[in-house]
Amino acid sequence: MVGGGFRLLHLVRPFLPFIPEVQSADRKVPFRQKVVYTVISLFLFLVCSQLPLYGIHSITGADPFYWMRAILASSRGTIMELGITPIVTSGLIIQLFAGSNLIQVDNNVREDRVLLNGAQKLLGILITIGQAVLYVLSGMYGSVDQLGVGNAFLIILQLCFGGIIVICLDELLQKGYGLGSGISLFIATNTCENIIWKAFSPTTINTGRGAQFEGAFVALLHLLITRSNKVLALREAFYRQNLPNVTNILATVLIFFIVIYFQGFRVILPVRSKNARGQQGSYPIKLFYTSNMPIILQSALVSNIYFISQFLYRNLSGNFLGNFLVSLLGKWKESEYGGQTVPVGGIAYYITAPSSLADIAANPFHALFYIVFVLSTCAIFSRLWIDVSGSSAKDVAKQLREQQMVMPGHREGNLQKELNRYIPTASAFGGMCIGALTVLADIMGAIGSGTGILLAVTTIHQYFETFEKEKATELGFFGF
């Protein structure tokens, strides 16, 4: 146990009795029960996403986080306003601390694992409280004078309750009671819901040229029925601006298939048992070795920059220091359609995807900066994540040795060295590929942003693999 990291983690110990915790499953949970727990967790999350905050004055006007809501699994004006932002941000900070050796943890020591998990949850709760207070003070639900101190305090309590619910549901699934990660499940659900709504929404929106249906396919049918010139009707349905069009839907489907194709890329390392003669096996190292974690962490970083930037823009403009910080982090304005707030300057602008190919041609530096930012952050987060999550070459070599497995043609002592040839490269390059696919989806105009689609596809693929694995090892078809 390392002294510095151990002493730092010890600061968490007095708070452990007050942090909500889900006990790890003491036995193997049957597959059917896992499915039930997963469905119930998703149901609770969706219910909270529809429960409006009590005491808010108004949520009319620009939504500062509308493009991040699907990615962060948040719903405006509801208990789930904060979504997964606090828990992902706390994980990001703990990861950076562990990666820079500010926190050093011995994963073989149970107390260290408990303290690290407690530290992440405690930080998540503190971030939830901080964001809830800032949301209320920034006037997202009306000014504090209009709300009243009592209502303001009540809104903060509701937002904190929602944040703690997310932390508990995610922990429930990850500790063996459910399937996969709660964070990924909630993101995938929100993203798929957004895509279906943009494709089939029956609501109408006035774009300045008359009311049009929001759903791309509904608009296609309406235009073909009502317009006499079918060619112009098709052209408008495929290329209309400021509303979802058929091209966006086709781009989304294409990105889905591209991601599924790349999911199959892997290197298979042969292994065999030292004790059981003739027992052969394999250890696959996927191209997307760290799955969707790099893009989740990158999304958390971007959302926090947006949040801080908009808070400063609303509250500190007007003095020298405030103007400097606003110019540095980002300037914002309401878009012409939809009444949403978009960045027009500063860091927030350059880390936002270009809105179209015309935007790329008009602002090539913006496009270049965005591409470099996404690729580099995804690669860095992916590389750091393998050390934090216990999936580095050292950890994998230890697991194989504990299972009495060796690689044919290599000495047992060279196992870690051989794994080091593949795992760090797969994590960094795989993270960069995830970033590149995200950029491609954004440039093509896919529904729900490239980040959201990547998260949804990788999560769905993970669940498919989990179903297949559980089905093969335990029960019949889908466990029923």
Side-chain angles (χ1 to χ4, degrees):
M1 197 175 298
V2 183
F6 178 72
R7 287 194 297 270
L8 185 60
L9 284 178
H10 257 213
L11 297 175
V12 181
R13 180 177 288 169
F15 299 97
L16 288 180
F18 307 100
I19 299 175
E21 181 183 9
V22 177
Q23 296 294 328
S24 298
D26 55 0
R27 58 181 175 80
K28 182 174 175 59
V29 180
F31 181 60
R32 282 180 291 183
Q33 288 188 22
K34 287 187 177 182
V35 172
V36 171
Y37 277 118
T38 304
V39 171
I40 291 175
S41 298
L42 181 58
F43 176 75
L44 289 175
F45 172 79
L46 292 175
V47 168
C48 290
S49 297
Q50 298 299 321
L51 285 177
L53 290 168
Y54 177 80
I56 59 178
H57 184 267
S58 172
I59 56 170
T60 57
D63 180 5
F65 305 108
Y66 77 100
W67 51 61
M68 300 295 293
R69 291 206 179 275
I71 303 168
L72 299 174
S74 71
S75 301
R76 190 182 188 191
T78 70
I79 299 293
M80 283 298 158
E81 177 81 68
L82 302 181
I84 63 168
T85 307
I87 187 173
V88 174
T89 303
S90 66
L92 171 62
I93 294 172
I94 293 295
Q95 173 189 338
L96 293 176
F97 276 20
S100 58
N101 291 325
L102 292 175
I103 295 178
Q104 298 180 2
V105 185
D106 187 349
N107 286 314
N108 295 318
V109 180
R110 181 180 181 279
E111 185 185 28
D112 270 24
R113 297 196 303 269
V114 170
L115 289 173
L116 185 68
N117 184 47
Q120 181 169 336
K121 287 194 291 184
L122 177 62
L123 183 58
I125 292 171
L126 293 176
I127 292 173
T128 299
I129 296 171
Q131 287 195 331
V133 171
L134 288 176
Y135 268 53
V136 172
L137 294 181
S138 65
M140 282 192 65
Y141 312 112
S143 68
V144 177
D145 292 336
Q146 293 174 317
L147 294 172
V149 176
N151 275 347
F153 182 71
L154 189 59
I155 293 170
I156 292 172
L157 283 181
Q158 292 173 83
L159 292 175
C160 292
F161 173 76
I164 293 173
I165 286 290
V166 169
I167 292 173
C168 292
L169 291 178
D170 180 62
E171 189 175 20
L172 175 72
L173 298 185
Q174 295 214 42
K175 284 198 170 179
Y177 294 99
L179 300 169
S181 157
I183 292 175
S184 298
L185 176 64
F186 302 151
I187 293 173
T189 302
N190 264 31
T191 302
C192 292
E193 180 185 358
N194 185 42
I195 292 172
I196 292 173
W197 181 258
K198 294 293 180 66
F200 301 104
S201 169
T203 59
T204 56
I205 296 177
N206 193 342
T207 61
R209 294 186 300 169
Q212 291 194 21
F213 285 101
E214 182 181 11
F217 289 132
V218 177
L220 171 64
L221 293 175
H222 179 259
L223 289 170
L224 286 175
I225 293 171
T226 59
R227 299 286 176 88
S228 57
N229 191 325
K230 305 305 180 185
V231 175
L232 290 179
L234 283 173
R235 182 175 180 179
E236 183 168 354
F238 272 79
Y239 302 110
R240 64 177 182 166
Q241 300 295 314
N242 304 309
L243 285 175
N245 56 50
V246 178
T247 304
N248 298 145
I249 302 296
L250 295 178
T252 304
V253 173
L254 177 62
I255 294 296
F256 262 84
F257 283 113
I258 291 175
V259 175
I260 291 171
Y261 174 73
F262 277 104
Q263 289 277 5
F265 281 49
R266 63 189 68 194
V267 174
I268 304 295
L269 299 182
V271 294
R272 63 175 177 82
S273 173
K274 288 197 302 182
N275 300 329
R277 184 183 298 273
Q279 183 177 340
Q280 301 287 334
S282 62
Y283 184 81
I285 300 176
K286 299 180 181 180
L287 173 61
F288 296 156
Y289 186 70
T290 51
S291 188
N292 54 18
M293 280 311 300
I295 204 67
I296 290 177
L297 296 170
Q298 192 260 356
S299 299
L301 175 64
V302 171
S303 69
N304 282 286
I305 292 175
Y306 283 171
F307 179 74
I308 295 170
S309 172
Q310 292 198 47
F311 180 79
L312 295 176
Y313 180 73
R314 288 181 174 186
N315 297 279
L316 290 186
S317 297
N319 57 69
F320 176 76
L321 178 61
N323 288 336
F324 172 75
L325 291 174
V326 166
S327 298
L328 176 65
L329 288 176
K331 294 182 178 179
W332 300 76
K333 75 169 186 178
E334 283 197 19
S335 63
E336 185 177 353
Y337 297 102
Q340 308 297 355
T341 309
V342 295
V344 292
I347 294 175
Y349 168 72
Y350 286 103
I351 63 176
T352 302
S355 58
S356 62
L357 292 175
D359 189 17
I360 294 175
N363 303 283
F365 179 75
H366 173 205
L368 179 63
F369 187 95
Y370 172 72
I371 293 171
V372 171
F373 170 76
V374 172
L375 296 185
S376 58
T377 50
C378 285
I380 292 170
F381 284 141
S382 183
R383 181 62 185 85
L384 290 174
W385 185 252
I386 63 172
D387 295 320
V388 179
S389 62
S391 54
S392 65
K394 179 181 178 182
D395 299 312
V396 173
K398 181 181 177 182
Q399 293 167 12
L400 291 175
R401 280 195 294 268
E402 289 173 349
Q403 297 170 11
Q404 301 296 311
M405 304 296 286
V406 295
M407 293 181 63
H410 298 276
R411 290 182 296 178
E412 186 176 351
N414 289 340
L415 185 58
Q416 181 179 337
K417 181 179 178 182
E418 188 66 19
L419 289 170
N420 261 323
R421 292 177 53 195
Y422 300 99
I423 290 179
T425 303
S427 62
F429 183 68
M432 192 175 295
C433 289
I434 286 281
L437 288 171
T438 301
V439 171
L440 176 64
D442 285 329
I443 291 175
M444 291 176 65
I447 298 291
S449 83
T451 302
I453 292 172
L454 262 292
L455 292 173
V457 178
T458 51
T459 300
I460 293 169
H461 192 270
Q462 282 176 359
Y463 271 97
F464 175 77
E465 289 185 331
T466 302
F467 280 137
E468 289 296 312
K469 182 179 177 182
E470 293 279 356
K471 185 173 64 175
T473 58
E474 183 181 343
L475 299 169
F477 183 71
F478 279 95
F480 293 101

